[in-house]
Amino acid sequence: MKNLKYMSLMLALVSVLTLGFTACGDDDDAKDMTYPVISADGITANPIDCQVYQRGTVIPFHYIFTDDTELGAYNIEIHTNADHHSHSTSSVECEDEDEHEHEHEHEHEAVKPWVFNQDFTIPAGQRSFEARHDIAIPADIDTGDYHFMVRLTDRAGWQQLHAIAIKITE
């Protein structure tokens, strides 16, 4: 009888401790099962597919980020697309002004391709964030096709990718 009371008391204590630990755990991340959103709604987004920029100027970046729970951080990467690879986030095909010029692009090696890669934090607790940056384009880089990529991550770790095809000219 004494053992039965002892066992009942231990079982009750284990149940209370289990409930206490479960209640104290931060399960917000477990509830967040959706990707964050990179949006152009309500703004003039920039850049967009097929925009042309000149060396030595700036790319005025502007997008809205949203998440149902909480945003985390974002990354902007710009790299050459001389080999015309794809990141599959846009079905847009940018037309060349001069198809003959395009043929000659493939005949030379990249001399000074531009690579830009920078991380940005979003203040804690944000579910919506308007991102703006002026990104300087070096004056001495290779001209041609580039990818402008935005990676948005929410607090739970879900990531959205938005790849944009742009062109850099003289």
Side-chain angles (χ1 to χ4, degrees):
M1 185 78 159
K2 203 174 193 182
N3 282 342
L4 186 57
K5 285 183 184 179
Y6 178 74
M7 291 286 276
S8 296
L9 181 62
M10 290 302 289
L11 186 57
L13 181 60
V14 168
S15 296
V16 168
L17 288 174
T18 302
L19 285 173
F21 285 128
T22 303
C24 291
D26 182 11
D27 62 339
D28 284 345
D29 290 345
K31 291 178 186 175
D32 185 354
M33 299 301 292
T34 59
Y35 293 99
V37 176
I38 300 168
S39 174
D41 292 344
I43 63 167
T44 301
N46 200 63
I48 59 172
D49 277 317
C50 304
Q51 280 187 310
V52 178
Y53 300 93
Q54 290 182 314
R55 295 190 296 189
T57 63
V58 299
I59 298 172
F61 173 76
H62 187 202
Y63 275 89
I64 301 286
F65 302 145
T66 58
D67 188 63
D68 63 332
T69 306
E70 184 176 351
L71 293 164
Y74 61 103
N75 171 275
I76 296 174
E77 176 189 340
I78 304 167
H79 62 262
T80 185
N81 188 22
D83 64 353
H84 295 277
H85 63 275
S86 172
H87 293 284
S88 308
T89 67
S90 175
S91 60
V92 173
E93 284 282 330
C94 301
E95 291 186 26
D96 290 327
E97 300 91 36
D98 183 357
E99 195 62 36
H100 183 68
E101 175 187 313
H102 181 69
E103 290 171 14
H104 290 291
E105 280 181 12
H106 293 292
E107 294 175 11
H108 72 277
E109 293 285 323
V111 176
K112 192 167 184 186
W114 181 30
V115 177
F116 177 92
N117 193 333
Q118 188 169 349
D119 295 324
F120 300 90
T121 57
I122 297 171
Q126 301 294 310
R127 292 172 59 180
S128 180
F129 184 78
E130 188 170 350
R132 288 180 174 264
H133 302 284
D134 284 336
I135 300 170
I137 303 170
D140 60 345
I141 61 164
D142 289 348
T143 59
D145 296 323
Y146 282 82
H147 280 151
F148 188 108
M149 298 179 53
V150 182
R151 289 178 184 85
L152 174 62
T153 307
D154 68 10
R155 186 175 143 240
W158 293 102
Q159 186 179 86
Q160 187 66 263
L161 172 68
H162 185 58
I164 303 153
I166 63 171
K167 185 178 276 294
I168 309 282
T169 62
E170 304 245 353

